[in-house]
Amino acid sequence: MDRLDAMAVLLAAVDTGSLSAASRQLGTPLATVSRKVSELEQHLNAQLLIRSNRQLTLTDAGRSYVASCRRILDEVREAERAATGEYSQPRGDLVITAPIVFGRLHVLPVVTAFLGAFPEINIRLVLADRVVHLLDDHVDLALRVGQLQDSSLIATRIGMTRRVICASPGYFAQHGKPGTPDDLADHRCITVDGLMAQRGWSFEHGGLERTLAVRSRLVVNTSEAVVDAAIAGLGVTRVLCYQIADARRSNLLELALEAYEPQPHPISLIYAAQGQLPLKLRAFLDFATPRLKARNSQAAD
C-alpha cells in the first residue's frame, strides 16, 4: 500500500463528503477509492469513517488521523517544492485572484509586465467578484477590496478606494445634481445585483452614518454594465472610484454627493503564512506591490 497516496484519497473523501465525489475529483474508479480507504483502516486497525448513503462521518480516531494526514502531506509538498528549486530561484506556477474590474484594469497589466521579466514563472489569473478561499481553491495570492477579517493570512495594503455616486453630465443637466442623499428619491438609480448587492446605499456626514434605501430603475449583475448604463445617461449609480477613473478623465461621468461618501475601503494583497515563502510569490510581491500602489493612486485621484 502506498500510504501517502492512501492518505490523499482519504482527505479527498473527507473534503468532498463522499467516496463517489472523491472518485470524481481524483479521476479514480470508485472501487479503487473505497479499497484504498479500507486498506488504510486495516493497516491502522481502526475505523476512520462511518459510511452512510448520504454522507461520511469521521470517527474520533478518524478526526485525529485526518489532521495528522493534512500536516504530513503539507510537509511532503514543502519538501518537494524545495527539491525542485522553488525556494532557490523564482520559478513555477502562481494562482492569483482579483475582482473583475480591478483585475482587468490594473492587475492584468502588471502580470503581463511581470511575465516578461520572469520567464520561468507562469500565472493563472482568476478574476471574480466573489471571495475566493485561498487554501480550498489553491490560490497563492488574492487582491481584496474592503476590510479584512482577522485570520492567519498576511496582508499588504496597496491603497484605498472610495465608493462614489456618479452620473453622466447630460443626466445631471436634465435632472439636476442631488445635493443630499435624500434627493436621490427623485432620481433614477442603477444598482448591481448579485453577491455584492446591497439593500441600500450608505452615506456618512458629520460623523453620522445612515443607509438610504434606493429604488432601482435598472438592476444589472456586473459593475461594467452599471458604468455603461450611467455613461448612457440612464441614471445615477454608485461604484468604486477606480471603476470609473477612465470615464471621469474623459468627462463621461461626474461625481455627486462627495461630502457624504462613507469611509474609503482598503485594497490589500493577501496570502497564506505557511512555511517559507516561495521565491515565485516573493518575486511577484516585490514586483507588483509598488506598481499596483502607483496605478491605484492614479485611479483614486
Side-chain angles (χ1 to χ4, degrees):
M1 177 184 60
D2 184 333
R3 207 173 306 170
L4 290 179
D5 182 53
M7 288 179 179
V9 170
L10 174 63
L11 289 183
V14 171
D15 291 341
T16 59
S18 71
L19 296 179
S20 57
S23 170
R24 291 190 296 271
Q25 182 187 78
L26 297 172
T28 303
L30 176 58
T32 303
V33 171
S34 180
R35 175 177 56 79
K36 289 185 176 182
V37 173
S38 296
E39 288 178 349
L40 197 55
E41 290 179 319
Q42 291 171 10
H43 172 75
L44 297 170
N45 194 26
Q47 184 178 9
L48 303 175
L49 299 173
I50 300 173
R51 299 160 175 82
S52 69
N53 292 332
R54 292 189 174 183
Q55 63 180 4
L56 296 176
T57 304
L58 284 169
T59 64
D60 289 342
R63 278 191 291 273
S64 175
Y65 187 72
V66 163
S68 297
C69 287
R70 292 191 192 279
R71 184 179 66 254
I72 290 168
L73 292 177
D74 283 343
E75 290 177 354
V76 169
R77 282 190 288 268
E78 283 290 295
E80 290 174 342
R81 291 162 73 180
T84 58
E86 192 169 304
Y87 295 118
S88 61
Q89 55 184 319
R91 56 186 285 188
D93 299 331
L94 274 177
V95 181
I96 300 170
T97 184
I100 293 174
V101 176
F102 195 97
R104 178 173 58 83
L105 293 177
H106 302 302
V107 179
L108 182 57
V110 171
V111 164
T112 300
F114 176 81
L115 291 175
F118 292 87
E120 297 298 317
I121 298 178
N122 305 311
I123 290 180
R124 177 173 174 244
L125 180 59
V126 180
L127 301 183
D129 288 334
R130 62 181 177 87
V131 176
V132 177
H133 193 279
L134 269 66
L135 298 181
D136 291 349
D137 295 317
H138 307 290
V139 172
D140 297 291
L141 181 70
L143 186 140
R144 296 270 170 85
V145 178
Q147 296 294 336
L148 301 174
Q149 297 182 351
D150 292 337
S151 70
S152 60
L153 301 176
I154 303 297
T156 300
R157 183 170 296 185
I158 64 166
M160 306 289 287
T161 188
R162 298 149 46 215
R163 196 171 289 277
V164 297
I165 299 292
C166 63
S168 70
Y171 176 87
F172 282 146
Q174 182 177 357
H175 299 278
K177 185 175 289 191
T180 70
D182 291 318
D183 293 340
L184 290 173
D186 299 322
H187 285 268
R188 304 170 184 171
C189 293
I190 312 166
T191 58
V192 181
D193 194 11
L195 181 65
M196 300 302 291
Q198 297 179 346
R199 295 185 179 275
W201 291 347
S202 60
F203 297 92
E204 187 172 323
H205 190 64
L208 299 177
E209 184 176 347
R210 62 180 295 208
T211 298
L212 183 70
V214 296
R215 183 175 60 87
S216 302
R217 184 72 192 281
L218 174 66
V219 180
V220 296
N221 66 342
T222 69
S223 300
E224 296 98 323
V226 162
V227 173
D228 289 344
I231 290 173
L234 187 62
V236 178
T237 193
R238 191 182 195 204
V239 293
L240 295 168
C241 62
Y242 68 77
Q243 296 171 334
I244 59 167
D246 289 342
R248 287 183 60 202
R249 281 191 285 267
S250 301
N251 296 318
L252 297 175
L253 290 174
E254 292 182 4
L255 300 185
L257 301 177
E258 293 178 81
Y260 296 87
E261 290 176 6
Q263 292 297 311
H265 299 286
I267 304 177
S268 309
L269 294 172
I270 63 170
Y271 55 94
Q274 290 187 342
Q276 186 178 1
L277 193 65
L279 280 184
K280 61 182 181 180
L281 180 54
R282 171 52 58 198
F284 185 81
L285 287 169
D286 291 344
F287 183 93
T289 299
R291 289 167 173 81
L292 289 173
K293 285 182 177 179
R295 296 182 68 93
N296 183 68
S297 177
Q298 293 171 1
D301 290 341

